[in-house]
Amino acid sequence: MPTPTHAFAEVAARYGGVDVGDMEAVQRWYEDTLSSLPPQKIEEILDELVGREGLQPQGDGPRVYPKAAPLPALDRAVPVPLPLLAAGWREFLRRLLHRHSR
């Protein structure tokens, strides 16, 4: 379950003085201001948002994300290395398949 919108609003209020009830202002803060903060502050904000992932929505705030919020396209996503555990399983399965195909 994603991080609820009220968490984004609370974080914007704490770090940017944004009104938690004004979701347009919250969105503008993330789009316009967040990237201008020091990297350590951005990491702190990200850690807090990730830590709130899966919480139940609270209050009367919106239960959906703003429609104008840009979503990253998968074809433009930054490639990430395969986790070592997954890479190990891939190699194991490749060897197993090779052994049985002889």
Side-chain angles (χ1 to χ4, degrees):
M1 202 165 157
T3 303
T5 54
H6 74 84
F8 283 93
E10 290 169 3
V11 168
R14 179 177 308 126
Y15 291 95
V18 177
D19 176 14
V20 294
D22 185 352
M23 287 308 286
E24 289 182 14
V26 169
Q27 183 174 346
R28 275 194 313 277
W29 184 80
Y30 280 98
E31 290 175 350
D32 301 336
T33 306
L34 180 63
S35 62
S36 68
L37 298 176
Q40 293 143 335
K41 188 61 68 177
I42 294 172
E43 187 173 337
E44 183 179 326
I45 291 167
L46 178 61
D47 288 342
E48 186 166 344
L49 290 170
V50 169
R52 293 178 179 214
E53 187 174 345
L55 291 179
Q56 293 298 316
Q58 296 176 352
D60 295 332
R63 306 264 183 206
V64 296
Y65 296 91
K67 289 186 180 12
L71 296 174
L74 289 177
D75 63 343
R76 293 179 30 191
V78 177
V80 276
L82 192 61
L84 291 177
L85 179 62
W89 275 107
R90 181 192 291 180
E91 181 62 21
F92 171 76
L93 292 173
R94 187 186 63 74
R95 288 180 184 175
L96 187 63
L97 180 65
H98 181 70
R99 184 180 305 158
H100 288 291
S101 64
R102 289 189 214 171

